[in-house]
Structures are given as structure tokens and as C-alpha cells.
Amino acid sequence: MSLRERKKERTRLAILDAALDLFLEQGYESTTVEQIAGAVEISPRTFFRYFTSKDHLVLWFHDHGEQLMVETLRLRPQGEPPFTALMHAVRAVLSDMEGSTEDEHQRFLKLRRILDENPQLIGQSVARGAGTERRLAELVAAHRGVDADTDQLSHLIVAFAMSAMRVGFECPRRDGSVPEITGRMAETIELAERSLRPGWDL
Amino acid sequence: MSLRERKKERTRLAILDAALDLFLEQGYESTTVEQIAGAVEISPRTFFRYFTSKDHLVLWFHDHGEQLMVETLRLRPQGEPPFTALMHAVRAVLSDMEGSTEDEHQRFLKLRRILDENPQLIGQSVARGAGTERRLAELVAAHRGVDADTDQLSHLIVAFAMSAMRVGFECPRRDGSVPEITGRMAETIELAERSLRPGWDL
DNA sequence: AACCTTTCTGTCATAGTGTGCCACAAGTCA
DNA sequence: TGACTTGTGGCACACTATGACAGAAAGGTT
């Protein structure tokens, strides 16, 4: 990893940390890009070279998780029921989260508090993921040998899986350590699996 | 209905129609508020008095449907399983849609095409509904006699219901008349109900 | 070291969304 | 008609976001 790349990574994290702290201190809406840029001593223009938008700061983790899900999904065995495969992909995200550094954990906990205080941002993350959700539905449809444009079940499978993940992330809203939260997310996933009729996703 | 109110309603619909047509002609992003305002001969300032944002134009129907759902939900019998009650609320939205005027149908079909071409807007509608989804979860939790903050199942019930509604709305993506589309949405709802284990939402 | 190339950064200009404020016009009612 | 309420337009302003360009920093070459 070159000096250049390391510096970029350091700047990116500095922006992210400054922003998360400012959001917690004075609220998401009340914090401007100018303030964030000022806190890390860069120009506002440079901010937008690291993050495509203000929202992007909050959706950073979401993007990461989503990418991980897609990758995991491609590696699942062909014969596996689609919903089960998706649940494994979600679990891969949980494992990744548990295995990250203490700094990452802190960022995750801060982010969770910010999302809790700004419900519209949770929807924003769905907004960002809408395209991916559609792509996932296409993967599932292909796997099931049906047409993604007309098969409702493929879309429903993905929508249910993402719902379970989202509910696990948001609820319960009590604070806690990262392992506690991922533990509860795992519970929600199992709850979702138990709620569905065996073989519904074939 | 006073002259004032009728005039307001007429202006609102004029704005909406002009905007939907412009979005279809030249795309959502490429259309500015100034253009929309110009097309109905009002000032941009006045536009924002009718719609809180550009997004709001597209989310207009969503807001309407959501409001209808909450109202329906309050009228459902106490003993009914929560998910069943939610499904009835969704059906109430479908009936309302089927019972509206030809103009409303045209707007709905245009909107559907716009949403199809701009996937991020679908997520936006979820973003807008995030708060309501939380409130619905609280209603469900109260109904089940549990604490909304800690009970994951209540949130999952609402999330699944909203997923089913969304999938029904988006998919299949073929065009069709309003009754065809609502018919397919009803199918998706039934599919969701069949996919779940009986008694899962008690 | 001096040099050139590539990449990053800041400045400036610009477009677009959204809001507060105030004067004025339109509608409502006595 | 006159008083009152509400809607409208114009203006200034804050904020997000992007394109263009010049200069600084990093990387490699001789």
C-alpha cells in the first residue's frame, strides 16, 4: 500500500469520524459539509471527492455490507434455497462486523445512534440499496430459472430477507456492545426463518 | 367546499400533472422546479407551498396510501392477527385505487412509469415512510401487548407487510391498466400470506 | 539531485433545492 | 364597502453538489 493510498485512507476516516461526532453533537441536518471539511482542514470541494454526498457518510457501512452480501451470495452452493442463501449472506455481514477493529466498532455504534435519531436516514439506505435489491432479485430469479420481470416470488424473497436484516439492525433500540447487537441481529434472522413456511422459496 | 379550496386543489393537480408529464418527457433529474412552475405559470416559491419538495410530487400517492392504511388499521377488530389486519389495510388501499377517477388512474400509471425509470425514488418512498413504519410497529406492539422498543416480531410483521405491498407495486414491471395492476398486487399479497407459517404473527 | 508524470487539492463559478421575510393581491365575511 | 384572513410573488439567503482549471504533492526515472 503506497503512501498515497494510506494518506487517502487516513483522510477518509478522519472525515468520517469528524462527521459522525458532529452529527451526534448537533444533529445531522444542522451539520453542514463546510463544518465537516473545516474540522479536518480540507476544502468542501475535497470532501465531495471522498464522499459523493453528505448522505454517503451515513451509508458508508451500508455500501460495505451490501457489497459483501453480493459476493457471499455468488459463492453459495447452487442447490441451496434462495432465502437460505440470502440469510447466509446476511450472516457473513455479521461475522465481518464482529471481526473488525475497535475503531470500526466505535464508528458502527455512533452510526447506529445517528440513524436512531434520524429515521429518514434508514429509508435513505434503502433508497441507495434499491438498485442492488433489484439486482439481487435478478440473481435469485436466474437461480430459480424464472423471469425476474414477471416473477413476484423472487422479489418477495429478497424483500423479506432485506427486511429481516433491517429490523435486526434497528431493533431493539437499546444500546449495547457490538457483539450484543450482532447477537440480536442473528436472533432476528432466525425469527424470520422460523416465521416462513418451509419450502416457500423454492 | 369554498372557492379558495377548489382553486387550491385545481392548482395542486395542475402542478402534479405538469410535473409528471415533464418527468416522463425529459427525466426526473433533468426537470427543474423552475420548469414545472413555469408550465403552470406560478412562481417557484409557490410551488414549494404546494409540495414540500420535488420528491414530494412522486411521494404524493404514497402519502395518501399510507394515511389510508393507518386509518383502516385502527378500524380492524381487536382479536385479528396483526399481519392479517395489515393485509386488510393494504387491500383498502387497492380498493381506493380501483374506485378513483380516470384522471387519478392516468396519474397513477404515469407515476408507475416514472418510478420504474428511477429506482432510487422507490427507496425515497420508503425513506418517507420510515417514520410511519415505526409508528405502525408501535401500533402492532401495543395490540400484541409487548414493548415496541424490544420486540422484534412486531417490527418484522410490519416490515414484511410493507415489503409485500412494495413488491406488488413494482413487480411485474409490464404495463397494464389500473385493474390489472391492482389485481397483480392482490396476488402478491396472497402470495405473501401463503408464504408465512400460520400463527407466526401472534 | 533534477526531471517528468500522475494524482490530489483548493479556488472559483455555477446550477439547483429549499426557506424566511415582506409587501401585495385575492378570497371571505360583516 | 370595509376589515380580516389567506395565498402569492419577489427577494435574499443557506446549503448541497458539480465542472473547470491551476498549482501542489507523490511517484518514478535518469
Side-chain angles (χ1 to χ4, degrees):
Chain A
M1 211 182 197
S2 69
L3 179 102
R4 206 171 245 169
E5 277 171 327
R6 269 180 291 136
K7 191 184 173 184
K8 267 187 90 169
E9 199 53 27
R10 226 184 313 130
T11 307
R12 189 187 302 283
L13 290 177
I15 296 173
L16 191 56
D17 285 332
L20 291 178
D21 287 337
L22 283 169
F23 291 163
L24 282 173
E25 275 170 38
Q26 52 185 29
Y28 177 78
E29 289 294 340
S30 318
T31 304
T32 68
V33 171
E34 202 178 353
Q35 284 178 306
I36 299 166
V40 251
E41 294 180 319
I42 56 167
S43 74
R45 186 67 187 85
T46 299
F47 169 89
F48 285 107
R49 290 195 178 102
Y50 280 92
F51 295 92
T52 57
S53 67
K54 195 177 152 187
D55 290 351
H56 195 192
L57 284 164
V58 171
L59 305 173
W60 189 243
F61 292 83
H62 181 272
D63 283 7
H64 178 68
E66 204 170 70
Q67 195 185 335
L68 195 56
M69 274 190 71
V70 174
E71 282 164 17
T72 309
L73 210 57
R74 293 194 185 277
L75 297 176
R76 299 302 307 174
Q78 275 295 322
E80 192 171 47
F83 190 74
T84 309
L86 281 166
M87 291 293 97
H88 278 289
V90 174
R91 286 197 183 91
V93 176
L94 296 188
S95 306
D96 177 71
M97 214 178 282
E98 283 164 2
S100 18
T101 65
E102 178 59 24
D103 282 354
E104 283 291 324
H105 285 188
Q106 286 307 317
R107 287 186 197 107
F108 175 75
L109 294 173
K110 283 178 188 172
L111 174 74
R112 203 162 168 281
R113 265 186 287 159
I114 292 164
L115 284 174
D116 192 47
E117 285 162 16
N118 302 275
Q120 79 282 9
L121 289 176
I122 293 177
Q124 290 287 349
S125 98
V126 182
R128 193 172 194 83
T132 304
E133 194 158 330
R134 193 169 280 190
R135 264 174 285 138
L136 284 177
E138 275 160 21
L139 278 180
V140 169
H143 182 267
R144 297 179 58 238
V146 294
D147 179 19
D149 278 356
T150 55
D151 185 68
Q152 299 167 322
L153 186 53
S154 298
H155 288 263
L156 203 60
I157 289 166
V158 175
F160 275 9
M162 298 307 258
S163 289
M165 186 175 178
R166 213 153 20 95
V167 169
F169 179 77
E170 296 171 55
C171 165
R173 273 142 77 192
R174 277 178 294 129
D175 271 351
S177 65
V178 168
E180 277 169 11
I181 291 168
T182 53
R184 292 198 298 245
M185 286 178 75
E187 277 173 30
T188 306
I189 290 170
E190 280 157 28
L191 181 61
E193 284 176 323
R194 282 199 307 275
S195 299
L196 289 152
R197 204 187 281 272
W200 74 285
D201 58 339
L202 294 179
Chain B
M1 213 182 197
S2 69
L3 179 106
R4 206 173 245 168
E5 276 171 328
R6 268 180 290 136
K7 190 182 172 185
K8 267 186 91 168
E9 198 54 27
R10 226 185 313 131
T11 308
R12 189 188 301 283
L13 290 177
I15 296 173
L16 191 56
D17 286 332
L20 291 178
D21 287 338
L22 283 169
F23 290 162
L24 282 173
E25 275 170 37
Q26 52 186 27
Y28 178 79
E29 288 294 340
S30 318
T31 304
T32 68
V33 171
E34 202 178 351
Q35 285 178 306
I36 299 167
V40 259
E41 295 181 319
I42 55 166
S43 72
R45 187 67 188 84
T46 299
F47 170 89
F48 286 108
R49 290 198 179 98
Y50 280 92
F51 295 91
T52 56
S53 67
K54 194 176 151 186
D55 290 351
H56 195 193
L57 284 164
V58 172
L59 304 173
W60 187 243
F61 292 82
H62 181 273
D63 282 8
H64 177 68
E66 204 169 71
Q67 195 186 334
L68 194 57
M69 274 191 72
V70 173
E71 282 165 16
T72 309
L73 210 57
R74 293 194 186 277
L75 297 175
R76 298 302 308 173
Q78 276 296 322
E80 192 171 47
F83 190 73
T84 308
L86 281 166
M87 292 292 97
H88 277 289
V90 174
R91 285 196 184 92
V93 177
L94 296 188
S95 307
D96 178 72
M97 215 177 281
E98 284 165 2
S100 17
T101 65
E102 178 57 27
D103 282 355
E104 282 292 323
H105 286 187
Q106 286 308 315
R107 287 186 196 107
F108 175 75
L109 294 173
K110 283 177 188 173
L111 175 74
R112 203 162 168 281
R113 265 186 287 158
I114 293 164
L115 284 173
D116 192 48
E117 285 163 14
N118 302 275
Q120 79 281 8
L121 289 176
I122 294 177
Q124 290 287 350
S125 97
V126 183
R128 191 170 196 83
T132 304
E133 194 158 330
R134 193 170 279 189
R135 263 175 286 138
L136 285 176
E138 274 159 22
L139 279 179
V140 169
H143 182 266
R144 297 178 59 238
V146 294
D147 179 20
D149 279 356
T150 54
D151 184 69
Q152 299 165 322
L153 185 53
S154 299
H155 288 263
L156 202 60
I157 289 167
V158 176
F160 275 10
M162 299 305 260
S163 290
M165 185 176 178
R166 217 155 14 98
V167 169
F169 179 77
E170 295 172 55
C171 164
R173 273 141 77 191
R174 278 179 292 128
D175 272 351
S177 66
V178 168
E180 277 170 11
I181 291 169
T182 53
R184 292 200 298 246
M185 286 179 75
E187 278 174 31
T188 306
I189 290 169
E190 279 157 29
L191 181 60
E193 283 177 323
R194 283 200 307 275
S195 298
L196 289 151
R197 204 187 280 273
W200 73 285
D201 57 341
L202 294 179

